[in-house]
Amino acid sequence: MSWSNQNNGGPWKSNPGPWGNGPSRPSGGSPDLEDVLRRGKERLKRWLPGGGIGGPAGLGLLALAAIAVWLLTGFYTVQPNEVGINQIFGRYTGKTDPGLRYNFPGPVGSVTVLPVTNRNSIDIGAVTRDESPRAGGLQLALDKPEESLMLTGDENIADVKFRVVWQIDPSRPEEFAFNLRNPQETVKAVAESAMREVIGKKNLSDILTTDRKVIEPAVQDLIQGVLNGYKAGVLILQVQLLSVDPPDQVIAAYRDVTSAQQDLQRQRNEADAYANSVVPGARGAAAQILQEAEGYKTQAVQEAQGQASRFAQVYAQYKNAPNVTRERIYLETMETVLGGAQKVIIDGKGPGVVPYLPLGSLDAPKAQTGGEK
């Protein structure tokens, strides 16, 4: 069907309707489609030099317009939690911060936008999944014994379930974009290997009791070191032990062992408390005995020194007057010996035994009187 205007009308003039006349355009109505297309074609011919779109100038303008539209597609937006990785012909040219950015569009350039602040977590030894809404949206953990069972340093088996929290390193996102094909699986494999290495150097009893807080930072440092060696561009934020238990077959026996260890620790604490209450008293008594011994020692030494000095003085007087000194010593000795004994005086010069003088009886009332006073 020709769209030219050589038949003095549109296609409706050459193809009348079933009643012999084509559809007529009412006066004052909108123009039909044929008129709109014809007028647009005439305007385009007048605007384009060279007589139409098929001319060289028209093709050049269309090419420039296509290039302009293609260049405008190179604008892209980086969100606050993202970093843009720019490439030109597959070569890394730099990274961009959040905002409206530009890079050559494809196939010349490409942009990879990475969420560098988003935190990702991987559960190893168990898979956590959401339960159906009928169950209240609860989370169920499915055990994966091929990941959780690990050999300890004392040749026992421990069931270790843990979680690794990681994110893309904001300072090296290009390493994450170019050096890792499957980041989730890579981090998981490295984390499982690191945990097996750390668990393999420790005894099961320590793992179950005291070393849990030591294992987490050790595994985190080991994972980070391995990933840095791979230039993975991954930052390990936390390693969290979810559960550390013996295998199900021997868990009852190990619970008894754990209970016994707790009883042992409790008894040790009680013994330490008793020692803390008894030892200070014993030390105080020992210090008292030592002080009394020191006092007795000082007293004995001083008394011995005093007696030696008295003996030296008596000896000096004895050399000056031996008879008088001997008599005085004798009297003092007799006074000391007989001073507290009962005395009976007998006159042996008379013709017979005279009545004795009961000095002891005479002294008793005086002593009793003195006691009453």
Side-chain angles (χ1 to χ4, degrees):
M1 178 171 53
S2 175
W3 289 91
S4 63
N5 199 19
Q6 297 176 358
N7 336 6
N8 297 323
W12 300 109
K13 295 295 182 180
S14 60
N15 297 304
W19 291 277
N21 294 320
S24 60
R25 184 179 62 198
S27 59
S30 60
D32 58 7
L33 180 61
E34 181 183 0
D35 293 338
V36 173
L37 293 177
R38 177 172 52 80
R39 292 174 183 175
K41 185 177 180 180
E42 291 177 354
R43 291 177 181 175
L44 184 60
K45 287 180 179 181
R46 290 195 302 268
W47 182 69
L48 290 176
I53 300 178
L59 294 177
L61 289 176
L62 289 177
L64 291 176
I67 292 174
V69 173
W70 174 73
L71 291 175
L72 288 176
T73 60
F75 286 98
Y76 64 95
T77 303
V78 180
Q79 300 299 328
N81 64 327
E82 297 175 340
V83 168
I85 305 297
N86 292 339
Q87 295 174 259
I88 297 179
F89 294 114
R91 182 180 178 182
Y92 170 69
T93 59
K95 56 188 177 182
T96 56
D97 296 329
L100 181 63
R101 306 298 175 184
Y102 181 81
N103 190 33
F104 287 104
V108 177
S110 61
V111 178
T112 302
V113 180
L114 300 177
V116 294
T117 60
N118 291 359
R119 294 194 172 190
N120 309 285
S121 63
I122 303 174
D123 291 342
I124 300 176
V127 178
T128 304
R129 63 180 179 87
D130 292 336
E131 185 57 273
S132 61
R134 296 180 180 179
L138 300 178
Q139 289 186 345
L140 298 180
L142 303 179
D143 292 337
K144 299 183 70 175
E146 66 276 8
E147 297 179 356
S148 62
L149 295 180
M150 303 181 184
L151 187 64
T152 62
D154 53 353
E155 298 182 356
N156 287 309
I157 296 177
D159 189 0
V160 182
K161 299 178 179 65
F162 64 102
R163 176 176 297 164
V164 179
V165 181
W166 63 277
Q167 71 177 35
I168 302 173
D169 192 347
S171 61
R172 296 176 294 178
E174 65 278 3
E175 295 182 353
F176 179 85
F178 302 136
N179 297 340
L180 291 184
R181 176 175 298 179
N182 194 335
Q184 194 82 358
E185 292 298 327
T186 301
V187 174
K188 181 177 180 180
V190 174
E192 182 178 350
S193 176
M195 181 62 74
R196 290 185 184 276
E197 179 177 347
V198 174
I199 293 296
K201 297 179 181 179
K202 297 184 177 296
N203 296 331
L204 180 60
S205 59
D206 297 333
I207 296 172
L208 296 176
T209 54
T210 59
D211 286 353
R212 305 185 79 174
K213 294 301 181 182
V214 180
I215 294 174
E216 294 176 349
V219 175
Q220 180 177 352
D221 294 340
L222 186 56
I223 297 174
Q224 190 66 66
V226 174
L227 292 176
N228 290 342
Y230 291 164
K231 294 184 178 181
V234 174
L235 186 63
I236 303 299
L237 302 178
Q238 184 183 14
V239 174
Q240 180 183 4
L241 287 174
L242 300 178
S243 64
V244 181
D245 299 309
D248 295 337
Q249 295 81 354
V250 295
I251 191 170
Y254 275 100
R255 284 177 179 173
D256 293 339
V257 172
T258 304
S259 178
Q261 292 176 346
Q262 293 175 354
D263 292 340
L264 175 62
Q265 187 64 34
R266 177 178 56 80
Q267 292 177 0
R268 284 180 177 176
N269 294 336
E270 293 177 355
D272 292 339
Y274 177 74
N276 293 333
S277 63
V278 172
V279 170
R283 289 177 179 173
Q288 181 181 359
I289 293 174
L290 290 176
Q291 291 177 357
E292 292 177 354
E294 290 293 335
Y296 176 75
K297 173 185 175 181
T298 303
Q299 179 183 358
V301 170
Q302 291 178 354
E303 288 181 354
Q305 291 176 352
Q307 291 178 1
S309 177
R310 178 174 175 277
F311 179 81
Q313 294 176 1
V314 171
Y315 178 71
Q317 295 297 328
Y318 177 79
K319 289 194 300 182
N320 295 331
N323 294 330
V324 175
T325 304
R326 187 182 303 111
E327 184 69 20
R328 184 171 63 82
I329 292 174
Y330 172 76
L331 293 176
E332 290 177 354
T333 302
M334 295 303 295
E335 180 181 3
T336 303
V337 173
L338 300 177
Q342 294 184 357
K343 294 174 282 296
V344 177
I345 299 175
I346 300 175
D347 187 7
K349 296 180 180 181
V353 177
V354 298
Y356 69 92
L357 181 63
L359 298 178
S361 299
L362 296 175
D363 293 339
K366 293 182 181 179
Q368 185 177 0
T369 304
E372 292 178 355
K373 290 180 180 180

